[in-house]
């Protein structure tokens, strides 16, 4: 369900939750959101990482999301293919 957020100067943005999960080893909560800024129609992927009381938030464009996800996929594929770590 999309939610609207009123910003200053009557600007708004629409936020649509995409996914939410917890990292098993570190316990960080990760939330992915589709964010549409009505002023200018800018659409970004928001990545919210909560670690206890600390929040880290990234708003990234589609090209950056694609590059980041490709790098993560390559890393995960190596982990699936071998028990050896690529880092020595």
């Amino acid at each position: 369900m999309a939610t609207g957020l009123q910003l200053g100067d009557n600007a708004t943005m629409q936020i649509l939750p995409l996914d939410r999960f917890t990292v098993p080893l570190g316990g960080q909560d990760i939330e992915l959101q589709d964010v549409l800024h009505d002023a200018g129609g800018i659409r970004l992927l928001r990545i919210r990482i909560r670690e206890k009381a600390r929040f880290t938030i990234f708003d990234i464009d589609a090209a950056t999301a694609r590059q980041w996800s490709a790098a993560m996929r390559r890393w995960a594929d190596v982990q699936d293919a071998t028990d050896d770590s690529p880092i020595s």
Side-chain angles (χ1 to χ4, degrees):
M1 179 165 97
T3 61
L5 180 64
Q6 185 74 36
L7 305 173
D9 298 329
N10 294 325
T12 60
M13 65 179 172
Q14 302 298 315
I15 301 173
L16 177 66
L18 299 174
D19 202 358
R20 186 177 195 153
F21 50 93
T22 301
V23 177
L25 296 177
Q28 298 90 345
D29 291 321
I30 299 177
E31 186 174 359
L32 304 176
Q33 301 171 327
D34 180 21
V35 177
L36 175 62
H37 292 271
D38 291 340
I42 299 170
R43 184 177 295 277
L44 299 169
L45 174 64
R46 176 165 291 166
I47 303 160
R48 294 172 42 99
I49 303 170
R50 183 176 65 81
E51 189 171 17
K52 298 184 181 175
R54 179 180 169 186
F55 282 87
T56 302
I57 300 172
F58 297 95
D59 286 341
I60 61 174
D61 59 53
T64 303
R66 196 171 294 109
Q67 183 177 1
W68 191 350
S69 68
M72 293 175 80
R73 171 71 68 173
R74 286 190 307 270
W75 181 87
D77 289 347
V78 168
Q79 305 317 303
D80 289 344
T82 179
D83 290 338
D84 296 332
S85 172
I87 302 171
S88 52

